[in-house]
Amino acid sequence: MTKNYLEIPEELYNKLSDYAENDQLSIRLENQQILLENPKINHTNKQNLALHYFIVPSLASGIIALLIFLSTNHPQIAFTGSRHLSVASLSIILSTLFGFFGFIWTYLRKSCDLSKSKFNIFRETLTLSVAYTSISFAVQIIFWYIIGKTFSGVTFDPFTAGFLVLVFVGIIFYFLISAALSITLPNLILLLFTTFIGGILVSMATNNQKDWWQHNFSFLGTGEATQHWQFNITLIFSALILLTITDFLFAEFSKSSLYNYKFKIIRVFYILIALLIAFVGIFPAQSWTMPIHNNSAFGLVAVVLIMIIFLKWLVPTISKEFLALSWTALIALTLSAVAFMGIHYLSLTVFEIIAFAIAFTWLVMFINSLRGIIQEGNEWQVKLLQK
């Protein structure tokens, strides 16, 4: 009888033995990838957990909504609208409330690395729960706005309305629980982009009538701006997400043989950048906070420039393509600074947007490059044998 073997390097064997159960591993194909797992781990666990966890909160939200609708003594409940409690308003409130605490509970039980310090666990969990809940809240606002325009004037009896709240809360809660069970570095990078760009665009849109661009980019965070808290909170939470990404990236990196003091320096740089981004939001460009705001903004760009200049020394194995891209970013930052301060070709607003966009994009791309280096260090050649 023919026997088939898989010849693997000793280093890979030692790593796989940590995951094996009685020297047994399960293997499966998924999305054109071959995955080796502990046989006791069921790959449907995450989906089952998400389904299991969302049932109770959904039923509770439906019962709460029904009791509230019945207490209003209205025979018909509006689908959307603000005349009295509607399916839309209660769905948003209950899904946000249940989703926030449900995300925290699920993340702490199933996804969080409890070996971290209590402060890091608290910061990481709170940041992710607020970020994902805020995104779900924003999506619901847009969704119900469209539904309100499409089904204007539609009403339901209290029992049907309560059931609809149950359904909509269940959908949002399932999304949040699934997110809490699937926190990965690529998902965090997407979360950072969504939070940062979405928050900035909302701030720009709400201040369009005040011609904010005639002042400067930082005007969006001052007391003269409409709802300036949106701009400042966006920066603060973007900084917290960046800290979380840094924790995830270097926790993975620390397990690699490539990890050395140079990568510790990069980690310090990223922590410093996150703090500077937070300071830009904490200290608006007004009155006594102006010096701190300006120094934080310029310090952010300066740290990025330093990282680019010493990139080849910090990461000798960095790809030539990313190195060339980095120097292109450095030249673009330098030229934009000359165009603003030297020949006054660019306005302050345009210069700030260009500098911040280049710096932010480069930081995220550098994270992806570092992640690629980690993945290259975790690749081995194997052979298929048949005897």
Side-chain angles (χ1 to χ4, degrees):
M1 179 176 140
T2 302
K3 292 186 177 181
N4 302 314
Y5 298 89
L6 188 64
E7 185 179 270
I8 62 176
E10 184 176 355
E11 183 183 2
L12 176 58
Y13 174 82
N14 293 332
K15 288 183 177 293
L16 290 177
S17 63
D18 295 334
Y19 296 95
E21 180 72 24
N22 298 323
D23 296 328
Q24 296 290 320
L25 287 169
S26 66
I27 188 169
R28 63 187 173 89
L29 299 176
E30 182 178 298
N31 297 328
Q32 298 183 340
Q33 293 180 329
I34 299 175
L35 303 177
L36 285 169
E37 295 177 332
N38 185 310
K40 287 188 176 181
I41 297 177
N42 188 339
H43 68 276
T44 60
N45 275 351
K46 289 184 177 180
Q47 182 178 359
N48 291 340
L49 284 171
L51 286 170
H52 176 71
Y53 288 166
F54 97 108
I55 293 175
V56 174
S58 299
L59 290 174
S61 65
I63 294 171
I64 292 172
L66 176 60
L67 293 175
I68 292 175
F69 291 148
L70 290 174
S71 67
T72 61
N73 295 321
H74 288 289
Q76 291 294 111
I77 305 298
F79 196 25
T80 60
S82 57
R83 185 176 57 183
H84 48 76
L85 285 176
S86 62
V87 172
S89 61
L90 268 188
S91 296
I92 293 173
I93 293 171
L94 292 175
S95 63
T96 301
L97 183 63
F98 279 116
F100 176 75
F101 291 104
F103 186 100
I104 292 176
W105 185 78
T106 306
Y107 183 72
L108 288 175
R109 283 177 58 89
K110 299 296 180 182
S111 300
C112 185
D113 182 1
L114 298 179
S115 64
K116 298 177 181 177
S117 68
K118 291 183 179 180
F119 174 77
N120 285 339
I121 291 175
F122 173 78
R123 170 178 57 78
E124 181 180 299
T125 305
L126 185 62
T127 298
L128 293 175
S129 59
V130 171
Y132 275 101
T133 306
S134 298
I135 291 174
S136 69
F137 178 82
V139 170
Q140 288 182 86
I141 293 295
I142 297 172
F143 170 78
W144 285 113
Y145 175 80
I146 297 173
I147 292 296
K149 294 294 183 181
T150 306
F151 299 99
S152 178
V154 173
T155 61
F156 301 97
D157 65 87
F159 290 94
T160 304
F163 175 75
L164 289 174
V165 170
L166 182 154
V167 171
F168 287 116
V169 171
I171 293 172
I172 298 300
F173 199 80
Y174 179 76
F175 159 75
L176 290 171
I177 295 302
S178 297
L181 292 168
S182 306
I183 299 295
T184 61
L185 194 57
N187 289 345
L188 289 177
I189 293 174
L190 179 61
L191 177 65
L192 177 61
F193 261 107
T194 304
T195 302
F196 182 78
I197 296 176
I200 296 298
L201 289 177
V202 170
S203 299
M204 290 180 177
T206 55
N207 287 278
N208 186 47
Q209 293 181 344
K210 291 198 172 187
D211 295 332
W212 62 270
W213 47 270
Q214 293 184 6
H215 301 271
N216 51 56
F217 190 57
S218 300
F219 172 84
L220 296 172
T222 64
E224 299 178 29
T226 302
Q227 297 180 331
H228 59 278
W229 62 270
Q230 292 177 346
F231 179 81
N232 296 326
I233 290 296
T234 295
L235 293 177
I236 294 170
F237 265 97
S238 295
L240 290 173
I241 295 172
L242 183 58
L243 280 176
T244 303
I245 290 174
T246 303
D247 290 342
F248 269 72
L249 176 66
F250 287 95
E252 188 176 354
F253 228 134
S254 62
K255 302 174 184 176
S256 170
S257 58
L258 300 173
Y259 193 65
N260 55 36
Y261 74 96
K262 293 182 180 179
F263 289 104
K264 293 181 181 178
I265 294 175
I266 296 174
R267 183 172 192 169
V268 171
F269 275 137
Y270 266 99
I271 293 173
L272 178 59
I273 287 170
L275 291 175
L276 290 172
I277 293 175
F279 283 170
V280 172
I282 295 171
F283 302 101
Q286 57 190 25
S287 63
W288 66 272
T289 61
M290 180 70 80
I292 303 177
H293 177 91
N294 289 341
N295 289 331
S296 299
F298 283 112
L300 169 63
V301 177
V303 173
V304 172
L305 290 176
I306 292 172
M307 290 177 69
I308 294 175
I309 292 172
F310 291 97
L311 181 60
K312 187 61 179 176
W313 175 78
L314 289 169
V315 190
T317 57
I318 199 73
S319 67
K320 293 181 180 179
E321 292 78 10
F322 185 76
L323 191 61
L325 179 66
S326 300
W327 281 99
T328 302
L330 186 145
I331 293 171
L333 284 170
T334 304
L335 291 177
S336 60
V338 171
F340 166 61
M341 294 182 288
I343 61 177
H344 305 292
Y345 175 74
L346 296 177
S347 67
L348 176 58
T349 303
V350 175
F351 170 68
E352 286 180 326
I353 293 176
I354 291 175
F356 213 77
I358 293 174
F360 181 78
T361 304
W362 184 85
L363 287 170
V364 174
M365 294 180 70
F366 188 33
I367 290 173
N368 276 323
S369 295
L370 292 175
R371 181 168 164 265
I373 292 174
I374 296 174
Q375 291 175 337
E376 289 176 4
N378 290 331
E379 290 183 2
W380 294 271
Q381 298 297 319
V382 301
K383 290 183 180 179
L384 294 174
L385 302 176
Q386 192 175 71
K387 292 183 181 181

